[in-house]
Amino acid sequence: MVGVVGALSAFMHEDIDVMVAEQREAAAIRILAKFPMMAAVAYRTAYGLPIVFPKKKFGYTENFLYMMFSDPMTDDFTVDPVVVNALEKIFILHADHEQNASTSTVRIAGSSLANPYACVAAGIASLWGPMHGGANEAVLAMLDEIKTRENVDTFIARAKNPNDSFRLMGFGHRVYKNFDPRNQIMQDIAHEILTHLQCNQKNVLELAQELENKALNDDYFIKRKLYPNVDFYSGIVLEAIGIPRDMFTVIFALARVIGWMSQW
């Protein structure tokens, strides 16, 4: 996505005067419109699937899911409204959030009056890191390592051991020192989507909840104000609806691009 979005600056450069408000708005609209298509094409190309083009009858999120998962050889694909609702909530929760690393990167790049597509490409590069956009993927990797609820106490102890490299992922936030309100919304989404899809990831959700409950009642984490953040449950939801882990950061970028362009 860094390369593809950056390449847009070569095709859409001469027509953009960043000092003109109307042209800035037009550039923002273009990239918001193109991003779902680019993300879906990247996914389908990576997995050897034929490219699916959007349909006018679908909305923004519906079209993204249609381009991701439909079969171009059939016309009977329906976009699940429950999945649409869950993904729209994820987009909203990730749309913008103060001066984080990627947003600051976009603003710094934009301060030189650089092409907006190049600025967004810089933001995606910043988002790529495991300490930012890759956090929800790291949470799932951690849950994979813990494996069962019976192992939670052992890993809690390891997380508190300064000589152990294991750390609880998806805990703590520089803004939310006592509670991340987005986490509760994301947990509710996880319950809703797993129940609706009847998938086999309920064990993962139960493991995550057990880990959260243990940490929230442990003085070590309470004193350090380490509470689950929005990334703790988002990976469970994304994987449940069929989005592979190597696409998680792309989904984050798809949600955050509206915040980047607003701040740019």
Side-chain angles (χ1 to χ4, degrees):
M1 293 303 294
V2 174
V4 173
V5 174
L8 288 177
S9 62
F11 294 95
M12 301 178 183
H13 180 68
E14 299 297 333
D15 296 335
I16 299 177
D17 184 346
V18 297
M19 301 305 293
V20 178
E22 291 79 6
Q23 293 190 29
R24 291 199 301 271
E25 182 178 7
I29 291 172
R30 286 194 193 103
I31 195 164
L32 288 173
K34 291 179 181 298
F35 214 104
M37 180 70 180
M38 291 186 293
V41 169
Y43 162 73
R44 295 187 72 89
T45 301
Y47 285 85
L49 301 171
I51 293 172
V52 176
F53 293 94
K55 288 189 174 182
K56 288 184 177 180
K57 69 177 183 179
F58 291 137
Y60 192 83
T61 305
E62 288 173 304
N63 248 322
F64 175 65
L65 290 168
Y66 172 75
M67 290 185 290
M68 283 280 290
F69 300 122
S70 68
D71 183 348
M73 300 301 292
T74 65
D75 295 322
D76 59 356
F77 180 83
T78 57
V79 183
D80 190 329
V82 176
V83 175
V84 171
N85 181 60
L87 192 56
E88 284 183 344
K89 288 178 180 177
I90 289 176
F91 287 164
I92 292 170
L93 291 174
H94 290 83
D96 195 26
H97 201 265
E98 296 193 352
Q99 298 309 301
N100 51 76
S102 58
T103 299
S104 297
T105 300
V106 172
R107 291 183 64 138
I108 291 170
S111 68
S112 68
L113 305 184
N115 183 284
Y117 303 104
C119 295
V120 170
I124 297 171
S126 177
L127 187 69
W128 198 347
M131 298 302 291
H132 191 9
N136 52 6
E137 186 177 352
V139 170
L140 287 184
M142 173 191 69
L143 295 175
D144 288 343
E145 184 179 359
I146 296 174
K147 290 185 174 64
T148 67
R149 297 168 64 182
E150 289 73 25
N151 293 332
V152 168
D153 287 337
T154 299
F155 280 87
I156 288 283
R158 287 184 59 188
K160 295 189 291 186
N161 183 355
N163 298 317
D164 195 313
S165 61
F166 177 80
R167 293 293 178 267
L168 292 187
M169 305 305 297
F171 279 76
H173 198 280
R174 68 175 184 83
V175 175
Y176 303 114
K177 299 302 183 182
N178 295 304
F179 174 68
D180 185 343
R182 302 171 301 169
N183 176 62
Q184 184 58 57
I185 298 172
M186 191 62 69
Q187 185 179 166
D188 293 341
I189 295 171
H191 275 290
E192 179 184 17
I193 204 72
L194 292 180
T195 300
H196 174 72
L197 296 177
Q198 297 182 340
C199 54
N200 59 0
Q201 287 185 294
K202 285 192 174 183
N203 290 338
V204 179
L205 178 60
E206 291 172 357
L207 173 59
Q209 290 174 317
E210 178 75 9
L211 180 62
E212 177 182 16
N213 291 334
K214 292 280 188 180
L216 290 179
N217 289 284
D218 191 302
D219 286 341
Y220 177 91
F221 300 100
I222 294 172
K223 289 178 180 178
R224 289 164 176 77
K225 298 185 182 298
L226 296 174
Y227 300 88
N229 56 45
V230 70
D231 297 311
F232 192 67
Y233 288 103
S234 63
I236 296 174
V237 177
L238 293 177
E239 197 162 59
I241 65 179
I243 295 173
R245 296 184 187 186
D246 56 10
M247 279 286 292
F248 284 5
T249 304
V250 176
I251 300 299
F252 196 158
L254 174 55
R256 185 54 60 88
V257 69
I258 191 168
W260 290 337
M261 294 307 293
S262 297
Q263 299 217 33
W264 167 77

